[in-house]
Amino acid sequence: MLLLTSCGAGRSLRQAEQSYARGEFFDAARHYKQAYTRTSPKDRPQRGILAYKQGDCYRRINYTLKAKAAYMNAVRYRYPDTISHFYLAEMLRKNGEYAAAIPYYENYLVYARQLSDKKERKDSLAHIGLTSCQLAQEWKKNPTRHIVKRVPILVSRRSDYSPMYAGDDADVLYFTSTRNEAKGTDLNGITGMKSADIFHSKRNEKKQWQKPEPLASEVNSEFEEGACSFSADGKTMYFTRCRTLPDAPAYAEIYVSQRAGAEWGAPQKCAIMNDTLSSVAHPVLSPAGDYLYFVSDMPGGQGGLDLWRINVTRDGFGYVDNLGPDINTSGDEMFPTFASDGTLYFSSNGHPGMGGLDIFRAVSDSLTESWRIENMRSPINSQGDDFGMTFEPGAPNRGFFSSNRGDARGWDHIFCFEYPEVHHTLKGLVYDKEGDVLPEALVTLVGDDGTYLKINVKKDGTFTQELNPGHRYALLASCRGYLNDKEELLTENVDEDRRYELEFALASITRPVLIENIFYEFDRADLTPESTVALDELIQLLNDNPSVAIELAAHCDYKGNDDYNLRLSQRRAESVVRYLIKGGIEPERLTPKGYGEQQPKAVTKFTLKSAPFLKEGDVLTEEFIKNLPLEQQEICNAINRRTEFKVLRTTYSK
């Protein structure tokens, strides 16, 4: 029993207790505050009790800052129940004061160990709170790529929440609001605002949202209506109605309304259960329409408010299921919604989160009959309450949700969100090994994600293609008069933009093709270790073109005896052939040929990259080279000392 220190305090307290019993927490908070201020500071026990009761009321109506101040007073005046430490920690966390909240969670857990089992529910939530304080700080430092903004036209000076599209119509948005246009003139004793109604906003031809209007139908009444959802065809609306009656607690109920033309018909109460002492709210149909998901505090749950579902039949409703401990906790789970792909989204303060209610994604595993739960993290979630997510039809990466972040009064507002599309882009180039682009080329793309495309390159030899993250692709470049070239690409499994580049240098069938980076020991035919990379690439090219037989040609510069150079070049060509055979190429496909100095190099565009002082078409004969400066002579001699191949036929078969 509370000890009263004055008649005024006693009268205020009686009014507070009566309002609290009816669930009118806004009114109760006002009366508790009056009783608190009329109680002498010397009466510390009484002040501690009244401060705690104030905090309890403010917490229930989301006046986080006022609740924090009240709970701090309760702790200061040594409120006898250590639950005050728990709720103070919760309010600090909802205010984003994560470091400050931790010692109060820890205090509560220390004290709670000495108490009975009745503290078990809060024990688990306190541990969740401690974990949340650590995770929230990390999530704020490393947010997701979501873009979150307020939508000014949808924001009022009161609460606006639970946005929802109706079916596949992306140009009409329904939501709940306590703005001035809502029915009635009295303030709701629970919230201190007008009773909520369902509103809708339409987009004009420029895709701009227009000023919201209340539904002109019997859906809205003098009671609270909100948290509506719709059938897939947009013709059936489910919503929550909370009737407040004098001297009686307020219970939430689910109603349904059918649309005929542009008007919504008279709503009918849904017979979900016979239990008249439990609330049912926040209805939403599954994408297939076979289950109605909802929120309830009925017996048999995990604690607090739980998510439930009831199967929908031709004759009405069937059996009721709790979604189980993967989703439901000892805290509150609320506001279920579905994305177009069937993914369930809901809000909870019982899973590790950033503040009050956080939005979670739940994916069902049909094999294990379990749920995988994922916090949507910052910036979707915040230190406040975040809930009521809806996805724009035909645009799974954007939509709306509601949040009271940044509002000291705890009032909710509607935010839009968008997850920028991730682009993994391949930029490719197909060209002749001598440097000319090949606009007639064709690139075939095959991926382990089921992709099969034939891509025509542009006039400049380039092509561009969007790829999916985390997949392996094989690409084959082909062009008439050229050997095929194959490349493989593994895209990164990251949720960020990436750009990949590939070049296909095709080898001509009609003219010799230089094999770059082939080196021999000085004045010998032995290949150096540095040559293996280029020769392995040649092996791969021959494997990709199995019907091709080639001549392997080695050339020398003019220095030395002609016969000696001819023999040296022949041995070098044979060295290359032996390497290719050792690498698995059939000997019948390979013909070694040494040309000595008999075929000086004719300058191409490719040659100019290493010798810009030359002109395309120059022939590097002995006479030509000796007319150049000494430094340029050595460069030209090095160009002549080359190894090439040319295609002899394309009809080889084993």
Side-chain angles (χ1 to χ4, degrees):
M1 180 170 298
L2 300 180
L3 299 176
L4 308 182
T5 58
S6 71
C7 292
R11 184 168 53 253
S12 296
L13 180 60
R14 285 192 297 272
Q15 292 173 325
E17 298 287 358
Q18 291 170 359
S19 295
Y20 189 95
R22 293 192 296 268
E24 297 173 350
F25 303 115
F26 179 83
D27 291 344
R30 178 164 52 87
H31 293 307
Y32 281 129
K33 183 178 181 180
Q34 291 173 350
Y36 178 87
T37 57
R38 293 169 179 173
T39 300
S40 171
K42 295 181 180 180
D43 192 352
R44 297 180 65 84
Q46 181 73 349
R47 276 216 155 193
I49 292 172
L50 293 172
Y52 177 83
K53 287 183 172 285
Q54 281 184 73
D56 187 48
C57 293
Y58 288 136
R59 173 177 61 84
R60 292 174 182 271
I61 59 176
N62 277 327
Y63 280 32
T64 300
L65 291 176
K66 289 187 176 182
K68 182 185 79 169
Y71 284 128
M72 289 187 79
N73 283 334
V75 171
R76 181 162 63 94
Y77 285 117
R78 298 186 181 276
Y79 180 71
D81 194 332
T82 56
I83 194 69
S84 59
H85 288 256
F86 171 80
Y87 282 127
L88 176 55
E90 290 280 274
M91 296 304 103
L92 288 167
R93 180 161 68 95
K94 287 193 69 172
N95 200 45
E97 300 175 62
Y98 301 117
I102 290 174
Y104 289 101
Y105 282 124
E106 293 174 339
N107 289 345
Y108 167 76
L109 290 170
V110 170
Y111 298 145
R113 294 191 189 102
Q114 308 168 15
L115 303 176
S116 64
D117 294 340
K118 67 181 181 179
K119 295 293 182 180
E120 182 179 353
R121 174 174 176 257
K122 296 297 186 291
D123 286 359
S124 66
L125 291 178
H127 286 294
I128 292 292
L130 282 171
T131 302
S132 297
C133 287
Q134 300 295 335
L135 290 174
Q137 295 178 76
E138 180 63 28
W139 290 340
K140 286 188 70 174
K141 292 179 183 176
N142 300 285
T144 69
R145 297 174 68 244
H146 285 96
I147 300 170
V148 173
K149 299 178 181 178
R150 273 199 191 191
V151 187
I153 192 67
L154 303 179
V155 175
S156 71
R157 298 178 64 183
R158 296 292 185 267
S159 278
D160 307 286
Y161 57 95
S162 292
M164 185 64 66
Y165 286 100
D168 59 0
D169 189 352
D171 292 329
V172 182
L173 185 73
Y174 293 77
F175 63 95
T176 309
S177 180
T178 61
R179 60 185 60 202
N180 292 335
E181 293 83 357
K183 286 186 175 181
T185 57
D186 296 336
L187 297 183
N188 190 304
I190 300 174
T191 63
M193 296 180 283
K194 296 184 69 173
S195 292
D197 278 347
I198 297 174
F199 286 69
H200 69 290
S201 175
K202 297 180 180 180
R203 289 201 291 195
N204 60 20
E205 62 278 2
K206 297 181 179 179
K207 298 300 180 181
Q208 299 169 327
W209 293 105
Q210 302 302 291
K211 183 181 178 181
E213 298 178 353
L215 291 188
S217 72
E218 296 181 56
V219 169
N220 291 325
S221 71
E222 71 273 19
F223 301 120
E224 291 266 341
E225 283 87 29
C228 61
S229 65
F230 301 86
S231 59
D233 60 9
K235 296 181 179 180
T236 302
M237 175 197 298
Y238 292 91
F239 66 94
T240 305
R241 174 175 286 174
C242 188
R243 296 184 295 166
T244 51
L245 302 173
D247 303 318
Y251 294 100
E253 301 168 315
I254 294 175
Y255 282 74
V256 62
S257 173
Q258 304 293 334
R259 186 172 68 181
E263 298 295 324
W264 290 99
Q268 303 294 320
K269 181 181 175 181
C270 294
I272 299 259
M273 64 183 72
N274 296 321
D275 180 10
T276 59
L277 299 179
S278 298
S279 289
V280 289
H282 308 168
V284 62
L285 276 174
S286 62
D290 52 348
Y291 284 94
L292 183 70
Y293 288 69
F294 61 94
V295 174
S296 179
D297 59 354
M298 73 175 78
Q302 306 298 318
L305 295 170
D306 276 12
L307 298 189
W308 300 74
R309 70 177 188 178
I310 187 170
N311 67 314
V312 181
T313 69
R314 291 183 178 179
D315 301 324
F317 297 110
Y319 57 89
V320 175
D321 280 331
N322 186 281
L323 294 196
D326 290 341
I327 287 181
N328 293 316
T329 67
S330 55
D332 295 326
E333 281 68 49
M334 310 166 70
F335 299 98
T337 59
F338 287 93
S340 58
D341 64 357
T343 301
L344 172 66
Y345 291 79
F346 67 97
S347 290
S348 170
N349 59 18
H351 293 278
M354 297 191 66
L357 293 170
D358 271 24
I359 298 175
F360 293 82
R361 177 192 291 116
V363 180
S364 176
D365 188 331
S366 57
L367 295 177
T368 62
E369 296 185 348
S370 62
W371 296 88
R372 186 177 73 254
I373 311 301
E374 178 185 354
N375 190 297
M376 295 294 290
R377 302 174 58 177
S378 176
I380 292 293
N381 290 321
S382 68
Q383 64 198 44
D385 291 317
D386 307 288
F387 60 97
M389 178 170 276
T390 187
F391 295 86
E392 181 179 322
N397 291 329
R398 63 176 181 262
F400 295 90
F401 69 99
S402 39
S403 176
N404 62 10
R405 65 185 68 185
D407 194 307
R409 302 157 300 184
W411 294 354
D412 305 306
H413 305 286
I414 293 176
F415 291 76
C416 66
F417 73 89
E418 181 176 4
Y419 193 90
E421 292 185 5
V422 176
H423 296 284
H424 282 229
T425 306
L426 170 63
K427 181 76 172 184
L429 175 66
V430 187
Y431 59 95
D432 185 304
K433 277 184 175 288
E434 293 295 339
D436 293 321
V437 299
L438 297 175
E440 298 84 11
L442 179 71
V443 177
T444 303
L445 173 69
V446 180
D448 62 6
D449 58 353
T451 300
Y452 182 84
L453 295 172
K454 291 187 179 294
I455 308 168
N456 292 305
V457 305
K458 300 176 182 177
K459 291 182 179 180
D460 60 356
T462 64
F463 67 92
T464 305
Q465 180 61 43
E466 289 285 322
L467 304 176
N468 294 318
H471 289 279
R472 188 177 299 277
Y473 296 90
L475 298 99
L476 180 71
S478 58
C479 187
R480 184 183 299 273
Y482 292 85
L483 300 181
N484 297 334
D485 190 20
K486 184 186 291 183
E487 295 284 351
E488 289 192 353
L489 176 66
L490 178 64
T491 55
E492 295 181 70
N493 192 20
V494 295
D495 202 16
E496 297 177 356
D497 289 352
R498 288 287 188 270
R499 176 172 173 146
Y500 308 91
E501 295 184 355
L502 284 179
E503 292 187 0
F504 297 88
L506 302 190
S508 173
I509 294 176
T510 60
R511 61 177 184 267
V513 178
L514 175 68
I515 309 173
E516 295 184 79
N517 300 318
I518 299 295
F519 306 103
Y520 306 91
E521 298 289 350
F522 178 72
D523 205 27
R524 297 173 61 184
D526 299 324
L527 291 162
T528 66
E530 293 83 4
S531 304
T532 59
V533 173
L535 291 175
D536 288 342
E537 291 176 353
L538 179 57
I539 291 172
Q540 184 60 54
L541 179 65
L542 292 170
N543 285 330
D544 293 339
N545 297 270
S547 63
V548 168
I550 65 171
E551 175 187 274
L552 210 297
H555 301 267
C556 296
D557 57 31
Y558 64 80
K559 297 179 181 180
N561 180 273
D562 290 354
D563 291 339
Y564 178 81
N565 285 339
L566 194 62
R567 292 193 302 274
L568 177 61
S569 62
Q570 181 66 30
R571 294 199 308 274
R572 287 178 171 179
E574 291 170 354
S575 293
V576 174
V577 166
R578 284 195 295 273
Y579 187 95
L580 299 180
I581 293 171
K582 187 177 179 181
I585 305 301
E586 297 87 348
E588 296 80 10
R589 299 175 61 190
L590 306 170
T591 301
K593 178 68 174 177
Y595 286 94
E597 58 185 275
Q598 297 173 356
Q599 295 185 356
K601 176 69 175 176
V603 175
T604 65
K605 290 180 180 179
F606 184 80
T607 313
L608 297 177
K609 293 181 179 180
S610 58
F613 55 87
L614 299 173
K615 300 192 303 292
E616 189 175 357
D618 287 342
V619 180
L620 304 184
T621 62
E622 180 178 355
E623 181 182 2
F624 179 88
I625 294 174
K626 286 183 175 180
N627 287 322
L628 299 173
L630 289 176
E631 183 179 343
Q632 295 181 0
Q633 287 184 30
E634 183 50 40
I635 295 173
C636 291
N637 284 327
I639 294 172
N640 273 334
R641 296 191 297 269
R642 66 196 189 277
T643 303
E644 300 173 328
F645 75 85
K646 66 178 180 181
V647 176
L648 297 178
R649 63 184 188 280
T650 58
T651 56
Y652 173 81
S653 62
K654 291 184 179 180

